[in-house]
Amino acid sequence: MKTTNKELSPVQQLLEKKYNSGFLNRSEKIIPAVLFLMAAVSVLTTLGIVLTLIFETITFFGDVSIVEFFTAKEWYPFSGTDPVYGIWPLVLGTLKITIIASLFAIPIGLAVALYLSEYASARTRKIMKPILEVLAGVPTIVYGFFALTFITPVLRGIFPSLEMFNAISPGIVVGIMIIPTIVSLSEDALSSVPESVRQGALALGSTKWETASKVIFPAALSGILASIVLGVSRAIGETMIVSIAAGSTPSASLDLTTSLQTMTSYIVQVTTGDAGFGTTIYYSIYSVGFTLFIFTLLMNILAQFISKRFREEY
Amino acid sequence: MENTARVKSEEMVSRIDGRLAKNKVVKGIFLTATIFTSIILIVLLYRIISQGAPYLTWDFFQNFASRRPEQAGIKAAVIGTLWMMSVVIPTAAILGVGTAIYLEEYAKKNKLTRWIQMNISNLAGVPSVVFGLLGLTIFVRVFGFGNSILAAGFTMALLVLPVVIVAAQEAIRAVPKELKEASFGLGATKWQTIYRVVLPYAIPGIATGSILAFSRAIGETAPLIVVGIPTFVAFLPSGYLDSFTALPMQIYNWTSRPQVDFHNLAAAGIIILLAVLILMNSVAVWIRNRYQAR
Amino acid sequence: MALTAVNTTKNNQSVQNEELFVYNTKNLNLWYGEHHALKNINLGIKEREVTAIIGPSGCGKSTYIKTLNRMIDLVPGVKTTGQIEYRDRDIFSKDFLVEELRTRVGMVFQKPNPFPKSIYENIAFGLKIHGIKNKQIITETVEKSLRGAALWDEVKDRIHEPAYGLSGGQQQRLCIARCLALEPDVILMDEPTSALDPVSTLKVEELIQELKEKYSIIIVTHNMQQAARISDKTAFFLNGEVVEFNSTDTIFNNPADSRTDDYISGRFG
């Protein structure tokens, strides 16, 4: 070799040594394996969740008939003599809260998103962004406190027939909680419509509203729908606000002014109490958790489907 | 022909006023919604500060929970949260960054990888109370950690893991490929390139996203309740298998009592919680702004 | 014609010592998925010369130079056949680790790509990853490399400051210095001046002239005048083939192939 003829510098000597001893130390092979195991943890978490829910629910159905679970119109687990486990009142409770939250959050959320993306000055946007970030970062326990100690008393001042625990106050506050989700995802969708599309519509003499409603909004529709579905999914899974402000009475009535219980707040009620391990009540939280998991999973899959299926090509 | 054309355009012009008026009304409605949203936040903060601030005394930080509101304090909850986060942060950071490196740098773009990725985004949508059920079964019962710091910390770490992974993936993806080429071009191995070039460049981004995820873990209540963390604790933990309570649990406990005094204590607790979260968010924003210039 | 290249190689081989070739490419073919990007390349590259590779965009010249140190491996879906020998060792062989190849063969890229570290750390990087920790050796090598890249006088007072504070031309010379620190045998340059202003370009070209005393240099360039100014040999690539490979003088003054003539006289590309 040519290189052997001349004097080797210290660096070359050291490098030659390295070439002879081999480049790949063991860590180059071990590290990818270790990283793969780390990635496996999140898969195992999903698996853990699904298997936990399935097995404990199966145990539950050893005690309680599956027919009763789906058809009974009553959820009355704490009766010493004759407990009834019909999931419907808890599902209805969740639906009441979710619908009120959606009715509150969707119009406001979309209005804010449209204002920020189509009308607001850069300065307004700069002010609103952190406000929405803070709203998104407020823990739900704080929202629960706000619902119980502020919104409920205010509403009862207006409607004296409203009970201390009801569907309306926590429903509205869950709505407040999901507004940032809807705003930020919808605004992303709206502002990803290219500026040229906007200018094209404005150049034809459209007003800003006509541009927004007839061109931009339809173009961003899939992103907007996905944001709504994700917001609704969060409302379904919301726990603390309803545990604090909605009460703990499973109810099959459509009355919004009285105490109710959702799937999530039932789980909280049982786990704050002393339901011993191994009792039917203990296993019932898994059957409720499973039902809840299915609901939110379907919503998340729907959101992914919408944003994939209707992805706009610009 | 010419006449009808003129009539048409005149008609159009005559409609402009109405259209502009409509635009103005709609803009007004949207602006109102925006202002309303801001007002909600202001009212919320004002209520909590005016209720809780008088209770923020030195004793409040020094005392344990008590049946008498005037003697109740938040010491056990604050210390408990610190203990719990000392489990959450390393666990979620190591697993999150490791997973992100695997997915971005090592994984082949095949079905398995896409499936893992989809699994992570679905995990992010699972309600926190369901994570609580996982923790209750796996950590509390199967691993036998009981209602301990370790059980709660691992549960919370898994809860925020998807957020850390996604933040780390974005930060790693943003590393310019020219820098990686430079490193490979000098004979660096893959791991040397990741460790010496990719990670140093991505760390500010990873930190920003992770801090936001950790602040979520500090405020989450539902998983702690389900895992069985007690609310009334009058001692400090001395090890990771000890029982403990955390800030949101203490706030929940005070909120669910009927007496107004306890509600005020809850407000005081919330002020501390929010102060911690705002501090963490400011650090995240500071890091983001500091390193964005690159 | 491709034949010319092969003939030249053969003649040289028969007359001169084989060791003078740093790279010998034999029947190299390369595909990006379905796209046949390099077709039957045969090239012998001699030691301590500047070999320029010219040709229009998309002719495969960049692909070829990236194959020489296997940076092409980073592109997914690449397939090769044929051989490249670096000092008689097959670079695609399992026994020849790509890390060793890339240490022996340095590379300078289109855009200056210093690390977001200090000037000193940029140069020390290569040494450190190869396990050289001796501070004295590192410091000496940093100075030697910066001098070698004609950058020392400009930066000697601020070698611990960020490399991003340097001008584009200085950054590119820093990248060359970073290569020199590992005392490579060959330096591959992939359009090293395409992102630089004329003054910086001139400095880099002067540097290449100095470097050829000690190193074998293969440079891809879009700029024909540059090839004419600095190279000893020139290969003209077109549509993934070597049209002509000869002394730079011959290529520019007396090309054998009409397509070479068309390209250097600016009729296409």
Side-chain angles (χ1 to χ4, degrees), chain B residues 22-34:
Chain B
K22 195 169 175 189
N23 183 48
K24 246 190 173 161
V25 171
V26 172
K27 183 181 174 184
I29 293 171
F30 290 175
L31 179 61
T32 312
T34 308

Side-chain angles (χ1 to χ4, degrees), chain B residues 137-177:
Chain B
T137 316
I138 303 295
F139 298 126
V140 178
R141 303 224 179 273
V142 176
F143 288 2
F145 295 155
N147 314 115
S148 66
I149 296 166
L150 212 53
F154 281 157
T155 306
M156 284 296 191
L158 292 184
L159 173 69
V160 299
L161 184 58
V163 188
V164 178
I165 293 174
V166 172
Q169 277 186 286
E170 275 170 17
I172 289 171
R173 227 175 284 146
V175 177
K177 98 174 187 308

Side-chain angles (χ1 to χ4, degrees), chain A residues 28 31 36 38-39 42-43 46 48 52 115 119 128 139 141 145 149-150 205 209-210 277 282 286 296 300 304, chain B residues 19 23 26 31 34 38 47 94 98-99 102 106 119 121-123 125 127 134 137 141 189 191 221 252 263 277:
Chain A
E28 284 298 327
I31 283 164
F36 176 77
M38 291 185 182
S42 57
V43 176
T46 310
T52 299
Y115 184 76
Y119 292 93
M128 281 308 291
I141 177 86
F145 177 83
T149 64
F150 181 71
W209 168 237
E210 286 157 356
F277 171 68
Y282 173 82
Y286 290 93
T296 52
N300 290 337
Q304 280 167 16
Chain B
R19 288 165 55 206
N23 183 48
V26 172
L31 179 61
T34 308
S38 326
R47 281 284 300 183
I94 291 170
T99 305
Y102 174 76
Y106 286 101
N119 167 71
S121 62
N122 276 328
L123 209 52
L134 173 78
T137 316
R141 303 224 179 273
T189 61
W191 175 245
T221 322
Y252 173 58
H263 286 178
L277 299 187

Side-chain angles (χ1 to χ4, degrees), chain A residues 18 23-24 27-28 31-32 35-36 38-43 45-46 48-49 52-53 56 104 107-108 110-112 114-116 119 124 128 131-135 137-146 148-150 176 179 205-210 233 237-240 243-244 264 267-268 271-272 277 282 285-286 289-290 292-293 296-297 300-301 304 308, chain B residues 19-20 22-23 26-27 29-31 33-34 36-38 40-41 43-45 47-48 51 94-95 97-99 101-103 106 112 115-116 118-131 133-134 136-138 141 158 161 165 187 189-192 219-222 225-228 248 251-252 255-256 263-264 266-267 270 273-274 277-278 285 288:
Chain A
K18 177 106 189 247
F23 261 78
L24 292 172
S27 61
E28 284 298 327
I31 283 164
L35 295 175
F36 176 77
M38 291 185 182
V41 169
S42 57
V43 176
T45 305
T46 310
I49 288 174
T52 299
L53 294 175
E56 306 290 53
F104 186 80
I108 293 179
L110 294 188
V112 176
L114 277 166
Y115 184 76
L116 290 182
Y119 292 93
T124 314
M128 281 308 291
I131 288 179
L132 289 164
E133 274 171 30
V134 173
L135 272 176
V138 169
T140 56
I141 177 86
V142 178
Y143 280 123
F145 177 83
F146 185 61
L148 182 75
T149 64
F150 181 71
I176 294 173
I179 283 176
S206 312
T207 64
K208 275 193 170 178
W209 168 237
E210 286 157 356
S233 167
E238 172 40 39
T239 310
M240 295 320 296
S243 294
I244 291 172
T264 53
I267 297 173
V268 165
T271 45
T272 31
F277 171 68
Y282 173 82
I285 58 176
Y286 290 93
F290 198 17
L292 172 69
F293 178 75
T296 52
L297 184 68
N300 290 337
I301 291 173
Q304 280 167 16
K308 238 182 239 153
Chain B
R19 288 165 55 206
L20 283 176
K22 195 169 175 189
N23 183 48
V26 172
K27 183 181 174 184
I29 293 171
F30 290 175
L31 179 61
T34 308
F36 176 72
T37 309
S38 326
I40 291 173
L41 181 65
V43 170
L44 184 143
L45 293 179
R47 281 284 300 183
I48 284 164
Q51 251 183 299
I94 291 170
L95 288 178
V97 176
T99 305
I101 295 173
Y102 174 76
L103 289 173
Y106 286 101
L112 177 72
W115 185 73
I116 295 176
M118 202 185 77
N119 167 71
I120 289 166
S121 62
N122 276 328
L123 209 52
V126 173
S128 59
V129 70
V130 174
F131 274 93
L133 291 174
L134 173 78
L136 176 62
T137 316
I138 303 295
R141 303 224 179 273
L158 292 184
L161 184 58
I165 293 174
T189 61
K190 187 150 200 171
W191 175 245
Q192 283 175 328
E220 272 288 350
T221 322
I225 296 176
V226 178
V227 168
I251 294 166
Y252 173 58
T255 304
S256 37
H263 286 178
N264 294 342
I270 288 172
L273 180 62
L274 290 181
L277 299 187
I278 287 171
V285 170
R288 186 168 60 198

Side-chain angles (χ1 to χ4, degrees), chain C residues 18-169:
Chain C
E18 228 179 88
E19 278 176 15
L20 286 176
F21 288 90
V22 284
Y23 267 114
N24 224 330
T25 304
K26 297 172 182 167
N27 299 319
L28 176 73
N29 283 279
L30 183 144
W31 291 264
Y32 291 115
E34 296 294 304
H35 175 57
H36 198 173
L38 293 177
K39 296 168 194 163
N40 220 22
I41 307 285
N42 285 286
L43 274 183
I45 289 168
K46 277 177 75 181
E47 191 177 47
R48 296 194 196 194
E49 281 189 347
V50 176
T51 306
I53 300 175
I54 60 169
S57 302
C59 68
K61 57 189 194 299
S62 242
T63 302
Y64 177 65
I65 201 172
K66 281 185 180 143
T67 312
L68 292 178
N69 69 344
R70 294 185 53 192
M71 287 299 280
I72 203 77
D73 292 7
L74 300 180
V75 183
V78 166
K79 208 179 74 192
T80 55
T81 62
Q83 259 186 327
I84 299 179
E85 280 173 2
Y86 162 75
R87 299 230 178 245
D88 297 332
R89 294 168 72 188
D90 177 7
I91 67 161
F92 298 118
S93 142
K94 274 202 171 146
D95 303 328
F96 197 0
L97 289 174
V98 67
E99 286 82 7
E100 180 183 341
L101 173 66
R102 290 177 190 157
T103 314
R104 292 188 185 274
V105 178
M107 186 169 219
V108 178
F109 298 83
Q110 276 189 23
K111 271 198 310 191
N113 56 354
F115 299 117
K117 299 169 186 277
S118 70
I119 295 168
Y120 179 93
E121 286 297 332
N122 259 281
I123 295 171
F125 183 91
L127 302 173
K128 286 184 176 169
I129 57 168
H130 293 306
I132 296 171
K133 291 181 185 118
N134 184 321
K135 243 195 149 169
Q136 198 197 337
I137 293 183
I138 294 178
T139 309
E140 281 170 8
T141 310
V142 168
E143 178 173 345
K144 202 169 120 196
S145 311
L146 285 171
R147 283 188 191 280
L151 195 57
W152 175 253
D153 292 332
E154 292 164 57
V155 301
K156 63 181 175 213
D157 302 323
R158 46 172 174 147
I159 56 170
H160 292 290
E161 283 172 32
Y164 283 9
L166 300 174
S167 74

Side-chain angles (χ1 to χ4, degrees), chain A residues 94-105:
Chain A
T94 297
L95 284 180
K96 283 189 212 167
I97 297 291
T98 307
I99 288 169
I100 295 169
S102 306
L103 289 178
F104 186 80

Side-chain angles (χ1 to χ4, degrees), chain B residues 245-258:
Chain B
T245 194
L247 260 179
M249 287 302 289
Q250 189 63 66
I251 294 166
Y252 173 58
N253 176 257
W254 284 330
T255 304
S256 37
R257 296 190 183 205

